[in-house]
Amino acid sequence: VLWLARLDDAACAERVAGALVHDLTRPVRLDAGDITAHAAIGIAVAPFHGRDALSLWTRADAALGEARRLGGDTYLLAR
């Protein structure tokens, strides 16, 4: 869970999520070989997707589930 405060808009949150997915999914070289992690992120932005923590969490979790169903390594904004 990552809570970001004082973002200008949902597009700003999407830029942050895109950068996180990009950085988290880059291969890491180890002595035994390269490893690659996978990342999926669900985004909810107040007040558009809710005004309280539970509402935001629920909407972000639903978006996360959809991002995972799409194969991961992506982010989705709550509907």
Side-chain angles (χ1 to χ4, degrees):
V1 175
L2 178 64
W3 292 91
L4 302 175
R6 296 179 179 86
L7 296 179
D8 293 332
D9 54 26
C12 186
E14 289 180 295
R15 285 191 299 277
V16 170
L20 284 170
V21 169
H22 177 266
D23 289 346
L24 291 171
T25 58
R26 292 171 65 178
V28 176
R29 183 160 303 242
L30 301 175
D31 290 338
D34 290 353
I35 61 168
T36 303
H38 297 279
I41 298 174
I43 303 169
V45 178
F48 311 108
H49 301 115
R51 294 189 177 272
D52 61 272
L54 181 58
S55 296
L56 292 167
W57 182 280
T58 301
R59 300 287 296 275
D61 190 53
L64 170 61
E66 184 62 22
R68 286 178 176 157
R69 280 187 286 284
L70 292 173
D73 294 345
T74 192
Y75 63 89
L76 286 177
L77 187 64
R79 296 180 190 181

Coordinates of all heavy atoms in Angstrom, one line a residue:
V1 N 0.9 -1.2 0.0 CA 0.0 0.0 0.0 C 0.9 1.2 0.0 O 1.8 1.3 0.8 CB -0.9 0.0 1.2 CG1 -1.7 1.3 1.3 CG2 -1.8 -1.2 1.3
L2 N 0.5 2.1 -0.9 CA 1.3 3.4 -1.0 C 0.2 4.5 -1.0 O -0.6 4.5 -1.9 CB 2.1 3.4 -2.3 CG 2.9 4.7 -2.6 CD1 4.0 4.9 -1.5 CD2 3.5 4.5 -3.9
W3 N 0.3 5.4 0.0 CA -0.6 6.5 0.0 C 0.2 7.7 -0.4 O 1.2 8.1 0.2 CB -1.1 6.7 1.5 CG -2.0 5.7 1.9 CD1 -1.7 4.5 2.6 CD2 -3.4 5.6 1.8 NE1 -2.8 3.8 2.9 CE2 -3.9 4.4 2.4 CE3 -4.4 6.4 1.2 CZ2 -5.2 4.0 2.4 CZ3 -5.7 6.1 1.2 CH2 -6.1 4.9 1.8
L4 N -0.3 8.4 -1.4 CA 0.4 9.6 -1.9 C -0.6 10.8 -1.6 O -1.7 10.8 -2.0 CB 0.6 9.5 -3.4 CG 1.5 8.4 -3.8 CD1 1.6 8.3 -5.4 CD2 2.9 8.5 -3.2
A5 N 0.0 11.8 -1.0 CA -0.8 13.0 -0.7 C -0.4 14.2 -1.6 O 0.7 14.2 -2.2 CB -0.6 13.4 0.7
R6 N -1.4 15.0 -1.8 CA -1.2 16.3 -2.6 C -0.8 16.1 -4.0 O 0.1 16.8 -4.6 CB -0.1 17.2 -1.9 CG -0.6 17.6 -0.5 CD 0.4 18.5 0.2 NE 0.0 18.9 1.5 CZ 0.1 18.2 2.6 NH1 0.6 17.0 2.6 NH2 -0.3 18.7 3.7
L7 N -1.4 15.1 -4.7 CA -1.2 15.0 -6.1 C -2.1 15.9 -6.8 O -3.2 16.2 -6.4 CB -1.5 13.5 -6.5 CG -0.5 12.5 -6.0 CD1 -0.9 11.1 -6.5 CD2 0.9 12.7 -6.3
D8 N -1.7 16.4 -8.0 CA -2.6 17.3 -8.7 C -3.8 16.7 -9.3 O -4.9 17.3 -9.3 CB -1.8 18.0 -9.9 CG -0.7 18.9 -9.4 OD1 -0.8 19.4 -8.2 OD2 0.3 19.0 -10.1
D9 N -3.7 15.4 -9.8 CA -4.8 14.8 -10.4 C -4.5 13.3 -10.6 O -3.4 12.8 -10.2 CB -5.2 15.4 -11.7 CG -4.0 15.5 -12.7 OD1 -3.1 14.7 -12.6 OD2 -4.0 16.4 -13.5
A10 N -5.5 12.6 -11.1 CA -5.3 11.1 -11.4 C -4.1 10.9 -12.3 O -3.4 9.9 -12.2 CB -6.6 10.5 -11.9
A11 N -3.9 11.7 -13.3 CA -2.8 11.6 -14.2 C -1.5 11.5 -13.5 O -0.6 10.8 -13.9 CB -2.8 12.6 -15.3
C12 N -1.3 12.3 -12.5 CA -0.1 12.3 -11.7 C 0.1 11.0 -11.0 O 1.2 10.4 -11.0 CB -0.1 13.5 -10.7 SG 1.4 13.7 -9.8
A13 N -1.0 10.5 -10.4 CA -0.9 9.2 -9.8 C -0.5 8.1 -10.8 O 0.2 7.2 -10.5 CB -2.2 8.8 -9.1
E14 N -1.1 8.2 -12.0 CA -0.7 7.2 -13.1 C 0.7 7.3 -13.5 O 1.4 6.3 -13.7 CB -1.7 7.4 -14.3 CG -3.1 7.0 -14.0 CD -4.0 7.2 -15.2 OE1 -4.2 8.3 -15.5 OE2 -4.5 6.1 -15.7
R15 N 1.3 8.5 -13.5 CA 2.7 8.7 -13.8 C 3.6 8.0 -12.8 O 4.5 7.3 -13.1 CB 3.1 10.1 -14.0 CG 2.6 10.7 -15.3 CD 3.2 12.1 -15.6 NE 2.8 13.1 -14.6 CZ 1.7 13.8 -14.5 NH1 0.8 13.6 -15.5 NH2 1.5 14.7 -13.6
V16 N 3.2 8.2 -11.5 CA 3.9 7.6 -10.4 C 3.8 6.0 -10.5 O 4.8 5.3 -10.4 CB 3.4 8.1 -9.0 CG1 4.0 7.3 -7.9 CG2 3.7 9.5 -8.9
A17 N 2.6 5.5 -10.7 CA 2.4 4.1 -10.9 C 3.2 3.5 -12.0 O 3.8 2.4 -11.9 CB 0.9 3.8 -11.0
G18 N 3.2 4.2 -13.2 CA 3.9 3.8 -14.3 C 5.4 3.7 -14.0 O 6.1 2.7 -14.4
A19 N 6.0 4.7 -13.4 CA 7.4 4.6 -13.0 C 7.7 3.5 -12.0 O 8.7 2.8 -12.2 CB 7.8 6.0 -12.4
L20 N 6.8 3.3 -11.1 CA 7.0 2.2 -10.2 C 7.0 0.8 -10.9 O 7.9 0.0 -10.6 CB 5.9 2.2 -9.1 CG 6.1 3.2 -8.0 CD1 4.8 3.3 -7.1 CD2 7.3 2.9 -7.1
V21 N 6.0 0.6 -11.7 CA 6.0 -0.7 -12.5 C 7.2 -0.8 -13.3 O 7.8 -1.9 -13.3 CB 4.7 -0.7 -13.3 CG1 4.8 -1.9 -14.3 CG2 3.4 -0.9 -12.5
H22 N 7.6 0.2 -14.0 CA 8.8 0.1 -14.8 C 10.0 -0.2 -14.0 O 10.8 -1.1 -14.4 CB 9.1 1.5 -15.5 CG 10.3 1.5 -16.3 ND1 11.5 2.0 -15.8 CD2 10.5 1.1 -17.6 CE1 12.4 1.9 -16.7 NE2 11.9 1.4 -17.8
D23 N 10.2 0.4 -12.9 CA 11.4 0.2 -12.0 C 11.4 -1.2 -11.3 O 12.4 -1.9 -11.2 CB 11.6 1.3 -11.0 CG 12.1 2.6 -11.6 OD1 12.5 2.6 -12.8 OD2 12.0 3.6 -10.9
L24 N 10.2 -1.6 -10.9 CA 10.0 -2.9 -10.1 C 10.2 -4.1 -11.0 O 10.5 -5.2 -10.6 CB 8.7 -2.9 -9.4 CG 8.6 -2.0 -8.2 CD1 7.2 -1.9 -7.7 CD2 9.6 -2.3 -7.1
T25 N 9.9 -3.9 -12.3 CA 9.9 -5.1 -13.2 C 11.2 -5.2 -14.0 O 11.3 -6.1 -14.9 CB 8.7 -5.0 -14.2 OG1 8.8 -3.8 -14.9 CG2 7.4 -5.1 -13.4
R26 N 12.2 -4.3 -13.7 CA 13.5 -4.4 -14.4 C 14.2 -5.6 -13.9 O 14.2 -5.9 -12.6 CB 14.3 -3.2 -14.2 CG 13.7 -2.0 -14.9 CD 14.3 -0.7 -14.5 NE 15.7 -0.7 -15.0 CZ 16.5 0.3 -14.8 NH1 16.1 1.4 -14.2 NH2 17.7 0.3 -15.3
P27 N 14.9 -6.4 -14.7 CA 15.6 -7.6 -14.2 C 16.8 -7.1 -13.3 O 17.4 -6.1 -13.5 CB 16.2 -8.2 -15.5 CG 15.4 -7.6 -16.6 CD 14.9 -6.3 -16.2
V28 N 17.0 -8.0 -12.3 CA 18.1 -7.8 -11.4 C 19.1 -8.9 -11.6 O 18.8 -10.1 -11.5 CB 17.6 -7.8 -9.9 CG1 18.7 -7.7 -8.9 CG2 16.5 -6.7 -9.7
R29 N 20.4 -8.5 -11.7 CA 21.4 -9.5 -12.0 C 22.0 -10.0 -10.6 O 22.4 -9.2 -9.8 CB 22.5 -8.9 -12.8 CG 23.6 -9.9 -13.2 CD 24.4 -9.5 -14.4 NE 23.5 -9.3 -15.5 CZ 23.5 -9.9 -16.6 NH1 24.4 -10.8 -16.8 NH2 22.7 -9.7 -17.6
L30 N 22.0 -11.3 -10.4 CA 22.6 -11.9 -9.3 C 23.6 -12.9 -9.7 O 23.7 -13.2 -10.9 CB 21.5 -12.6 -8.5 CG 20.3 -11.8 -7.9 CD1 19.3 -12.7 -7.3 CD2 20.8 -10.7 -7.0
D31 N 24.4 -13.4 -8.8 CA 25.5 -14.3 -9.2 C 24.9 -15.6 -9.9 O 25.4 -16.1 -10.8 CB 26.3 -14.8 -8.0 CG 27.2 -13.7 -7.4 OD1 27.5 -12.7 -8.2 OD2 27.5 -13.7 -6.3
A32 N 23.7 -16.0 -9.4 CA 23.0 -17.2 -9.9 C 22.3 -16.9 -11.2 O 21.8 -17.8 -11.8 CB 22.1 -17.8 -8.9
G33 N 22.2 -15.7 -11.6 CA 21.5 -15.3 -12.9 C 20.5 -14.2 -12.6 O 20.4 -13.6 -11.5
D34 N 19.8 -13.8 -13.6 CA 18.9 -12.7 -13.5 C 17.6 -13.1 -12.9 O 17.1 -14.2 -13.2 CB 18.6 -12.1 -14.9 CG 19.8 -11.3 -15.5 OD1 20.8 -11.2 -14.8 OD2 19.7 -10.9 -16.7
I35 N 17.0 -12.2 -12.2 CA 15.6 -12.5 -11.7 C 14.7 -11.3 -12.1 O 15.2 -10.2 -12.2 CB 15.5 -12.7 -10.1 CG1 16.0 -11.5 -9.4 CG2 16.3 -13.9 -9.7 CD1 15.7 -11.5 -7.9
T36 N 13.5 -11.6 -12.3 CA 12.6 -10.5 -12.7 C 11.3 -10.6 -11.8 O 10.7 -11.6 -11.6 CB 12.1 -10.7 -14.2 OG1 13.3 -10.7 -15.0 CG2 11.2 -9.5 -14.6
A37 N 11.0 -9.5 -11.2 CA 9.8 -9.4 -10.4 C 8.6 -8.9 -11.3 O 8.8 -8.3 -12.4 CB 10.0 -8.4 -9.2
H38 N 7.4 -9.1 -10.8 CA 6.2 -8.6 -11.5 C 5.5 -7.7 -10.6 O 5.5 -7.8 -9.4 CB 5.4 -9.8 -11.9 CG 6.0 -10.7 -12.9 ND1 6.1 -10.4 -14.3 CD2 6.7 -11.8 -12.7 CE1 6.8 -11.3 -14.9 NE2 7.2 -12.2 -14.0
A39 N 4.8 -6.7 -11.1 CA 4.1 -5.7 -10.3 C 2.7 -5.4 -11.0 O 2.6 -5.3 -12.2 CB 4.9 -4.4 -10.2
A40 N 1.8 -5.2 -10.1 CA 0.4 -4.8 -10.5 C 0.0 -3.7 -9.5 O 0.2 -3.9 -8.3 CB -0.6 -5.9 -10.6
I41 N -0.6 -2.7 -10.0 CA -1.0 -1.6 -9.1 C -2.4 -1.1 -9.4 O -2.8 -1.0 -10.5 CB 0.0 -0.3 -9.3 CG1 1.4 -0.7 -8.9 CG2 -0.5 0.8 -8.4 CD1 2.4 0.3 -9.2
G42 N -3.2 -1.0 -8.3 CA -4.5 -0.4 -8.4 C -4.5 1.0 -7.8 O -3.9 1.2 -6.8
I43 N -5.2 1.9 -8.5 CA -5.1 3.3 -8.1 C -6.5 3.8 -7.8 O -7.4 3.6 -8.6 CB -4.5 4.2 -9.2 CG1 -3.1 3.8 -9.6 CG2 -4.5 5.7 -8.8 CD1 -2.6 4.4 -10.8
A44 N -6.7 4.5 -6.7 CA -7.9 5.2 -6.3 C -7.5 6.6 -5.9 O -6.6 6.7 -5.2 CB -8.7 4.5 -5.3
V45 N -8.3 7.6 -6.4 CA -7.9 9.0 -6.1 C -9.1 9.7 -5.4 O -10.2 9.6 -5.9 CB -7.6 9.7 -7.4 CG1 -7.2 11.2 -7.1 CG2 -6.4 9.0 -8.1
A46 N -8.8 10.3 -4.3 CA -9.9 11.1 -3.6 C -10.0 12.4 -4.2 O -9.0 13.0 -4.7 CB -9.5 11.2 -2.1
P47 N -11.1 13.0 -4.3 CA -12.4 12.5 -3.9 C -13.2 11.7 -5.0 O -14.3 11.3 -4.8 CB -13.2 13.8 -3.6 CG -12.6 14.8 -4.6 CD -11.2 14.4 -4.8
F48 N -12.6 11.5 -6.1 CA -13.2 10.9 -7.2 C -13.7 9.4 -7.0 O -14.8 9.0 -7.4 CB -12.4 10.9 -8.5 CG -11.8 12.2 -8.8 CD1 -10.4 12.5 -8.6 CD2 -12.6 13.3 -9.2 CE1 -9.9 13.7 -8.8 CE2 -12.1 14.5 -9.4 CZ -10.7 14.7 -9.2
H49 N -12.9 8.7 -6.2 CA -13.2 7.3 -6.0 C -13.6 7.0 -4.5 O -13.8 5.9 -4.2 CB -12.0 6.4 -6.3 CG -11.6 6.6 -7.8 ND1 -10.4 7.1 -8.1 CD2 -12.2 6.3 -8.9 CE1 -10.3 7.1 -9.4 NE2 -11.4 6.7 -9.9
G50 N -13.7 8.0 -3.7 CA -14.1 7.9 -2.4 C -13.5 9.0 -1.5 O -12.6 9.7 -1.9
R51 N -14.1 9.2 -0.3 CA -13.6 10.3 0.6 C -13.0 9.7 1.9 O -12.4 10.4 2.6 CB -14.8 11.2 0.9 CG -15.2 12.0 -0.3 CD -16.2 13.1 0.0 NE -16.6 13.9 -1.1 CZ -15.9 14.9 -1.6 NH1 -14.8 15.3 -1.0 NH2 -16.3 15.6 -2.6
D52 N -13.2 8.4 2.1 CA -12.7 7.8 3.3 C -11.7 6.7 2.9 O -11.7 6.2 1.8 CB -13.8 7.3 4.2 CG -14.6 6.2 3.5 OD1 -15.6 6.6 2.8 OD2 -14.3 5.0 3.7
A53 N -10.9 6.3 3.8 CA -9.9 5.3 3.6 C -10.4 3.9 3.1 O -9.9 3.3 2.2 CB -9.0 5.1 4.8
L54 N -11.5 3.5 3.7 CA -12.1 2.2 3.3 C -12.6 2.2 1.9 O -12.4 1.3 1.1 CB -13.2 1.8 4.3 CG -13.9 0.5 4.0 CD1 -12.9 -0.7 4.0 CD2 -15.0 0.2 4.9
S55 N -13.3 3.3 1.5 CA -13.8 3.4 0.1 C -12.6 3.5 -0.9 O -12.7 2.8 -1.9 CB -14.6 4.7 -0.1 OG -15.7 4.7 0.7
L56 N -11.6 4.2 -0.6 CA -10.4 4.3 -1.5 C -9.7 2.9 -1.6 O -9.3 2.5 -2.6 CB -9.5 5.4 -1.0 CG -10.0 6.8 -1.1 CD1 -9.1 7.8 -0.4 CD2 -10.1 7.2 -2.6
W57 N -9.6 2.3 -0.4 CA -8.9 1.0 -0.4 C -9.7 0.0 -1.2 O -9.1 -0.8 -2.0 CB -8.8 0.5 1.0 CG -8.1 -0.8 1.2 CD1 -8.7 -2.0 1.0 CD2 -6.8 -1.0 1.5 NE1 -7.7 -3.0 1.2 CE2 -6.6 -2.4 1.5 CE3 -5.7 -0.2 1.9 CZ2 -5.3 -3.0 1.8 CZ3 -4.5 -0.8 2.2 CH2 -4.3 -2.1 2.1
T58 N -11.0 0.0 -1.1 CA -11.9 -1.0 -1.8 C -11.8 -0.8 -3.3 O -11.6 -1.7 -4.1 CB -13.3 -0.8 -1.3 OG1 -13.4 -1.1 0.1 CG2 -14.2 -1.8 -2.1
R59 N -11.8 0.5 -3.7 CA -11.8 0.8 -5.2 C -10.4 0.5 -5.7 O -10.2 0.0 -6.8 CB -12.1 2.2 -5.4 CG -13.5 2.7 -5.0 CD -14.6 2.1 -5.8 NE -14.6 2.6 -7.2 CZ -15.2 3.8 -7.6 NH1 -15.8 4.6 -6.7 NH2 -15.1 4.2 -8.8
A60 N -9.3 0.8 -5.0 CA -7.9 0.5 -5.4 C -7.7 -1.0 -5.5 O -7.1 -1.5 -6.4 CB -6.9 1.1 -4.5
D61 N -8.3 -1.7 -4.6 CA -8.1 -3.2 -4.5 C -8.8 -3.8 -5.7 O -8.3 -4.8 -6.3 CB -8.7 -3.8 -3.2 CG -8.4 -5.2 -3.1 OD1 -7.2 -5.6 -3.2 OD2 -9.3 -6.0 -2.8
A62 N -10.0 -3.3 -6.1 CA -10.7 -3.8 -7.3 C -9.9 -3.5 -8.5 O -9.8 -4.4 -9.4 CB -12.1 -3.2 -7.4
A63 N -9.3 -2.4 -8.7 CA -8.4 -2.0 -9.8 C -7.2 -2.9 -9.8 O -6.8 -3.4 -10.9 CB -8.1 -0.6 -9.8
L64 N -6.6 -3.2 -8.7 CA -5.5 -4.1 -8.6 C -5.9 -5.5 -9.1 O -5.1 -6.1 -9.8 CB -5.0 -4.2 -7.1 CG -4.0 -5.2 -6.8 CD1 -2.7 -5.0 -7.6 CD2 -3.7 -5.2 -5.3
G65 N -7.0 -6.0 -8.6 CA -7.4 -7.3 -9.1 C -7.6 -7.4 -10.6 O -7.2 -8.4 -11.2
E66 N -8.1 -6.3 -11.2 CA -8.2 -6.3 -12.7 C -6.9 -6.2 -13.3 O -6.6 -6.9 -14.3 CB -9.1 -5.1 -13.1 CG -9.4 -5.0 -14.5 CD -10.1 -6.2 -15.1 OE1 -10.8 -6.9 -14.3 OE2 -10.0 -6.5 -16.3
A67 N -5.9 -5.5 -12.8 CA -4.6 -5.4 -13.3 C -3.9 -6.8 -13.3 O -3.2 -7.2 -14.2 CB -3.8 -4.4 -12.5
R68 N -4.1 -7.5 -12.2 CA -3.6 -8.9 -12.1 C -4.2 -9.8 -13.1 O -3.5 -10.6 -13.8 CB -3.8 -9.4 -10.7 CG -2.9 -8.8 -9.7 CD -3.2 -9.4 -8.3 NE -2.3 -8.9 -7.3 CZ -2.6 -8.9 -6.0 NH1 -3.8 -9.3 -5.6 NH2 -1.7 -8.4 -5.2
R69 N -5.5 -9.7 -13.3 CA -6.2 -10.5 -14.3 C -5.7 -10.2 -15.7 O -5.7 -11.1 -16.6 CB -7.7 -10.3 -14.2 CG -8.4 -11.1 -13.1 CD -9.9 -11.0 -13.2 NE -10.4 -9.7 -12.8 CZ -10.5 -9.3 -11.5 NH1 -10.1 -10.0 -10.5 NH2 -11.0 -8.1 -11.2
L70 N -5.3 -9.0 -16.0 CA -4.7 -8.6 -17.3 C -3.3 -9.1 -17.5 O -2.7 -8.9 -18.5 CB -4.8 -7.1 -17.5 CG -6.2 -6.5 -17.6 CD1 -6.1 -5.0 -17.6 CD2 -6.9 -7.0 -18.8
G71 N -2.8 -9.8 -16.5 CA -1.4 -10.4 -16.6 C -0.4 -9.6 -15.8 O 0.8 -10.0 -15.8
G72 N -0.7 -8.6 -15.1 CA 0.2 -7.9 -14.2 C 1.2 -7.0 -15.0 O 0.9 -6.7 -16.2
D73 N 2.2 -6.5 -14.4 CA 3.1 -5.6 -14.9 C 2.4 -4.4 -15.5 O 2.8 -3.8 -16.6 CB 4.0 -6.3 -16.0 CG 4.9 -7.3 -15.4 OD1 5.1 -7.3 -14.1 OD2 5.5 -8.1 -16.1
T74 N 1.4 -3.9 -14.8 CA 0.6 -2.8 -15.3 C 0.0 -2.1 -14.1 O 0.1 -2.6 -12.9 CB -0.4 -3.2 -16.3 OG1 -0.9 -2.0 -16.9 CG2 -1.5 -4.0 -15.7
Y75 N -0.7 -1.0 -14.3 CA -1.5 -0.3 -13.3 C -2.8 0.0 -13.9 O -3.0 0.2 -15.1 CB -0.8 0.9 -12.8 CG -0.6 2.0 -13.9 CD1 -1.5 2.9 -14.1 CD2 0.6 2.0 -14.7 CE1 -1.4 3.9 -15.1 CE2 0.8 2.9 -15.7 CZ -0.2 3.8 -15.9 OH 0.0 4.7 -16.9
L76 N -3.8 0.1 -13.1 CA -5.2 0.6 -13.5 C -5.7 1.5 -12.5 O -5.6 1.4 -11.3 CB -6.1 -0.6 -13.7 CG -5.9 -1.6 -14.8 CD1 -6.9 -2.7 -14.8 CD2 -6.0 -0.8 -16.1
L77 N -6.4 2.5 -13.1 CA -7.2 3.5 -12.3 C -8.6 2.9 -12.0 O -9.2 2.3 -12.9 CB -7.3 4.8 -13.1 CG -7.9 6.0 -12.4 CD1 -7.0 6.4 -11.3 CD2 -8.1 7.1 -13.4
A78 N -9.0 3.1 -10.8 CA -10.3 2.6 -10.4 C -11.4 3.2 -11.3 O -11.3 4.3 -11.8 CB -10.7 2.9 -8.9
R79 N -12.5 2.4 -11.5 CA -13.6 2.9 -12.3 C -14.6 3.6 -11.5 O -14.7 3.4 -10.4 CB -14.3 1.7 -13.0 CG -13.3 1.0 -14.0 CD -14.0 -0.1 -14.6 NE -13.0 -0.9 -15.3 CZ -13.3 -2.0 -16.0 NH1 -14.5 -2.4 -16.1 NH2 -12.3 -2.6 -16.6

